[in-house]
């Protein structure tokens, strides 16, 4: 697919670009309405076809849980491997459209690897993630950033207090969630491991507060997010923070999202996931 079309879709999903304006520009780039809708079919997510771990997996236990947040009750999707063993726990942080079926699937993947996994619904404080992704993006943009951060910090506290958690915690997030992983690392000194997929970087002056081991994944074609890499890496080195940073050449923003064929990069996604699980094994037990 023409990289200009992928870049336009990235602009649409991350900037205040209306659906109407997006479609008008897409039709021009694609060379016609039919071709535009054909491109759209491989850009927008197809959740049913991409589920990796089915919700009914016999080796997993799933439940809807809640905990007190900053002025509101926060809800999430908790997945635990069957058995009474205490485990490390991982908060899974969604993209800028809410707790979608894809992120629930990722939460099950984390649990399948042996961890207590919690997919937080940031939009639960406004009624929950809607089916309409445009509405989800709109609602994400209306969240109070500080209260939202506090809600995720409370999620980590909730996990540490569970009897099936061994006390060690990690976080993995994608896009909007990747940026939030960086913020959790800054604001939670108890966090053991943070994995940020193509996430916005924190301020350089905040980096010395980070105690967690970080793993940072970026797509080589993602110029928007990658612009922040040099300053972040310089700050990490200056602070002596334990981190690994990888740029996957030829991969786009959202390369891990296997519900979007145009941007999904199977090779980069597998390598990044293997590295993610390696860090969790080292830091969470």
């Amino acid at each position: 697919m023409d990289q200009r079309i992928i870049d336009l879709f990235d602009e649409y999903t991350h900037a205040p670009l209306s659906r109407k304006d997006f479609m008008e520009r897409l039709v021009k780039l694609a060379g016609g309405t039919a071709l535009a809708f054909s491109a759209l079919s491989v850009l927008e997510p197809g959740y049913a076809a991409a589920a990796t771990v089915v919700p009914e997996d016999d080796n997993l236990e799933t439940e809807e849980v809640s905990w007190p947040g900053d002025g509101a009750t926060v809800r999430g999707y908790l997945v635990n491997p069957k058995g009474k063993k205490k485990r490390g726990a991982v908060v899974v942080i969604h993209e800028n459209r809410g707790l979608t079926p894809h992120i629930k699937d990722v939460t099950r993947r984390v649990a399948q690897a042996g961890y207590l996994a919690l997919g937080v619904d940031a939009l639960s404080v406004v009624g929950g993630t809607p089916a309409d992704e445009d509405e989800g993006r709109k609602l994400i943009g209306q969240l109070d950033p500080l209260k939202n951060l506090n809600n995720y910090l409370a999620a980590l506290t909730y996990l540490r207090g569970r009897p099936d958690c061994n006390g060690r915690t990690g976080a993995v997030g994608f896009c909007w969630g990747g940026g939030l992983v960086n913020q959790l690392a800054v604001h939670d000194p108890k966090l053991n491991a943070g994995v940020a997929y193509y996430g916005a970087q924190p301020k350089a002056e905040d980096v010395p507060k980070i105690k967690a081991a970080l793993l940072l994944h970026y797509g080589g074609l993602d110029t928007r997010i990658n612009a922040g890499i040099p300053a972040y890496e310089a700050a990490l080195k200056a602070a002596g923070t334990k981190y690994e940073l990888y740029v996957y050449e030829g991969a786009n923003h959202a390369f891990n999202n296997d519900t979007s064929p145009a941007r999904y990069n199977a090779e980069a996604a597998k390598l990044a996931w293997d590295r993610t699980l390696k860090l969790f094994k080292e830091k969470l037990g």
Side-chain angles (χ1 to χ4, degrees):
M1 181 177 290
D2 189 327
Q3 185 62 38
R4 293 176 299 169
I5 292 177
I6 295 176
D7 291 343
L8 174 63
F9 185 72
D10 185 69
E11 180 184 351
Y12 166 58
T13 56
H14 294 92
L17 184 65
S18 71
R19 181 79 173 187
K20 179 177 180 293
D21 290 341
F22 164 66
M23 288 304 301
E24 287 178 352
R25 291 170 59 181
L26 179 60
V27 168
K28 290 179 181 178
L29 277 177
T33 302
L35 291 173
F37 278 98
S38 176
L40 199 60
S41 70
V42 293
L43 283 167
E44 294 192 316
Y47 295 127
T52 300
V53 184
V54 296
E56 301 80 12
D57 190 299
D58 290 338
N59 297 311
L60 302 176
E61 297 175 336
T62 66
E63 61 178 308
E64 301 295 325
V65 297
S66 62
W67 58 95
D70 188 343
T73 297
V74 188
R75 297 191 300 273
Y77 177 67
L78 186 75
V79 189
N80 199 0
K82 286 186 177 177
K84 296 181 179 180
K85 177 182 177 181
K86 285 181 175 285
R87 308 173 186 278
V90 178
V91 167
V92 181
I93 312 179
H94 54 67
E95 299 158 314
N96 67 339
R97 59 209 70 178
L99 187 61
T100 62
H102 166 63
I103 296 300
K104 285 187 173 182
D105 185 49
V106 172
T107 304
R108 294 192 294 272
R109 295 178 205 177
V110 173
Q112 189 180 59
Y115 304 97
L116 181 63
L118 177 61
V120 178
D121 185 356
L123 294 177
S124 61
V125 299
V126 291
T129 294
D132 185 328
E133 293 208 343
D134 285 341
E135 181 65 16
R137 283 188 286 265
K138 177 183 175 182
L139 291 171
I140 286 285
Q142 294 174 354
L143 292 177
D144 180 287
L146 179 57
K147 288 185 176 182
N148 180 65
L149 174 61
N150 288 339
N151 291 339
Y152 276 91
L153 292 170
L156 288 167
T157 299
Y158 164 76
L159 285 173
R160 293 182 186 119
R162 286 183 59 94
D164 46 5
C165 177
N166 64 12
R168 294 189 286 275
T169 52
V172 58
F174 307 86
C175 182
W176 180 85
L180 195 50
V181 167
N182 284 321
Q183 291 302 318
L184 289 178
V186 167
H187 290 91
D188 190 339
K190 294 181 181 180
L191 187 71
N192 299 99
V195 182
Y197 281 74
Y198 28 84
Q201 301 83 2
K203 295 178 181 178
E205 58 265 32
D206 286 337
V207 170
K209 301 175 186 176
I210 296 174
K211 305 300 180 187
L214 296 180
L215 177 58
L216 309 171
H217 300 302
Y218 298 99
L221 299 176
D222 187 6
T223 56
R224 178 179 57 86
I225 289 295
N226 293 357
I229 292 177
Y232 190 20
E233 186 163 31
L236 289 166
K237 289 179 177 178
T241 306
K242 179 177 175 56
Y243 79 98
E244 293 181 70
L245 189 156
Y246 298 98
V247 177
Y248 300 85
E249 296 305 327
N252 277 289
H253 184 85
F255 68 78
N256 186 72
N257 191 332
D258 49 4
T259 70
S260 178
R263 296 191 292 174
Y264 175 56
N265 185 308
E267 182 179 358
K270 182 182 185 306
L271 182 53
W273 191 248
D274 288 346
R275 286 167 170 164
T276 296
L277 295 185
K278 179 175 181 289
L279 178 66
F280 286 163
K281 184 177 181 180
E282 291 174 355
K283 298 300 178 180
L284 306 183

